[in-house]
Amino acid sequence: MDRRAFLRFGVLGVGIPLLGACGQDDDAAAPAPTATPGDSLQDIAPDAAKGLQLLDAQPELIVGSSRYSFGLLDPDGSPLTDADVVVHAGPDPAAKPVASVPAVWLRGGVEEKAIYVAQIPFPQAGPYYLAAVATTKEGAQLKGGVQVKVATTSPSPLPGQRAISVPTPTTAAPQGADPLCSRKPACSMHGVSLDAALKSGKPTVVTFSAPAFCATETCGPVVDLVEAAKKSAPAGVAFIHVEAYRKQGAELAPALTAWKFATEPWTYFVDGKGVVVERLAGAIGAEEITAALGRL
């Protein structure tokens, strides 16, 4: 099953190109060791082809500490939720891991998608093999892997860089956007243009997404989560939703072109000086949003 099919499976409950840590139970037992010194990635996950299915849900990975989101299906093809997961990364299956990190299950309205997030330190660009070991609540270990590519940098703004100031459609000035917001009901995040928000000196949260037209059906849940976060956010934080398409899902919005996005959704957190503090690609969790708001 490919990434798009997996995400639809999770969203529909029957099973953009798209897609912090989220909490687990405080009393959960520590996961069992998933590797021993000297193990190669293929030693760690020797049954990767027939066991756990690890499905890449991250639009891009870059050198350094990079957020990696992925879906998990058990050997029967069902979403695997609420598991203890460790991800081991290396340049190829025969190599030893250069990093071994825990992954957490995304929560806050997206639980059924069985999407996990790991923060993986990639020392250099190039191909990588990721071997995942999931320990279920019953104590069974499932293993699988996936090939990914890591780039040197991103074409879109990274944390520490300045956000790109562009006008975006608002209720007062829709700029030809049709629709202004494809969420049903429409969200409340179209009161201010992105360029005006960045000039105001106030922190800004901006999500680029198309709830009704998202290829992987992840945009709707993302906008829902950001809309919910707005209600409890500190006063003075600007919240903006930019519809990804200008014309009924057929014409990419100018703001997405300016930000050089090849996928959606993306959610950015920008401080009062216009500097990116955090960016989250694709499916996100409620606790990731809360943590990013805290850093503003």
Side-chain angles (χ1 to χ4, degrees), residues 134-210:
T135 304
T136 69
K137 289 302 180 182
E138 295 72 31
Q141 279 198 346
L142 302 175
K143 304 174 182 181
V146 67
Q147 295 277 359
V148 299
K149 290 184 178 180
V150 175
T152 301
T153 189
S154 172
S156 304
L158 292 167
Q161 298 178 347
R162 296 195 66 82
I164 299 172
S165 180
V166 292
T168 58
T170 65
T171 304
Q175 302 176 26
D178 180 22
L180 177 65
C181 182
S182 65
R183 180 179 182 263
K184 302 297 182 185
C187 74
S188 65
M189 298 182 287
H190 298 273
V192 61
S193 176
L194 178 57
D195 59 343
L198 294 177
K199 291 177 183 176
S200 72
K202 298 178 180 179
T204 299
V205 179
V206 55
T207 184
F208 303 84
S209 52

Side-chain angles (χ1 to χ4, degrees), residues 1 33 74 83 173 201 220 249 274 294:
M1 184 182 293
D74 66 21

Side-chain angles (χ1 to χ4, degrees), residues 170-259:
T170 65
T171 304
Q175 302 176 26
D178 180 22
L180 177 65
C181 182
S182 65
R183 180 179 182 263
K184 302 297 182 185
C187 74
S188 65
M189 298 182 287
H190 298 273
V192 61
S193 176
L194 178 57
D195 59 343
L198 294 177
K199 291 177 183 176
S200 72
K202 298 178 180 179
T204 299
V205 179
V206 55
T207 184
F208 303 84
S209 52
F213 308 109
C214 190
T216 58
E217 302 179 14
T218 62
C219 296
V222 166
V223 175
D224 290 346
L225 287 172
V226 177
E227 175 86 330
K230 177 187 174 186
K231 297 177 182 178
S232 58
V237 179
F239 280 78
I240 298 172
H241 166 222
V242 181
E243 189 72 22
Y245 299 98
R246 188 176 185 182
K247 295 291 184 182
Q248 298 290 330
E251 181 183 338
L252 197 66
L256 274 79
T257 301
W259 280 62

Side-chain angles (χ1 to χ4, degrees), residues 3-218:
R3 180 178 70 187
R4 181 173 299 181
F6 165 78
L7 290 171
R8 283 182 172 155
F9 183 97
V11 171
L12 296 176
V14 295
I16 334 166
L18 313 169
L19 291 158
C22 300
Q24 298 203 9
D25 295 339
D26 292 336
D27 58 354
T34 61
T36 57
D39 282 350
S40 69
L41 294 171
Q42 62 190 7
D43 292 329
I44 295 169
D47 55 347
K50 297 180 180 180
L52 184 69
Q53 297 180 56
L54 194 158
L55 303 171
D56 181 18
Q58 188 74 18
E60 65 178 37
L61 294 169
I62 59 173
V63 171
S65 182
S66 196
R67 177 184 184 267
Y68 177 65
S69 60
F70 58 97
L72 290 181
L73 300 180
D74 66 21
D76 294 327
S78 300
L80 180 65
T81 59
D82 201 14
D84 291 317
V85 181
V86 177
V87 179
H88 306 269
D92 61 71
K96 296 179 182 179
V98 297
S100 296
V101 298
V104 292
W105 176 38
L106 288 187
R107 302 188 184 191
V110 293
E111 289 88 348
E112 77 280 2
K113 297 179 182 63
I115 297 176
Y116 295 75
V117 170
Q119 201 72 25
I120 304 177
F122 294 105
Q124 60 187 30
Y128 279 82
Y129 184 78
L130 305 180
V133 180
T135 304
T136 69
K137 289 302 180 182
E138 295 72 31
Q141 279 198 346
L142 302 175
K143 304 174 182 181
V146 67
Q147 295 277 359
V148 299
K149 290 184 178 180
V150 175
T152 301
T153 189
S154 172
S156 304
L158 292 167
Q161 298 178 347
R162 296 195 66 82
I164 299 172
S165 180
V166 292
T168 58
T170 65
T171 304
Q175 302 176 26
D178 180 22
L180 177 65
C181 182
S182 65
R183 180 179 182 263
K184 302 297 182 185
C187 74
S188 65
M189 298 182 287
H190 298 273
V192 61
S193 176
L194 178 57
D195 59 343
L198 294 177
K199 291 177 183 176
S200 72
K202 298 178 180 179
T204 299
V205 179
V206 55
T207 184
F208 303 84
S209 52
F213 308 109
C214 190
T216 58
E217 302 179 14
T218 62

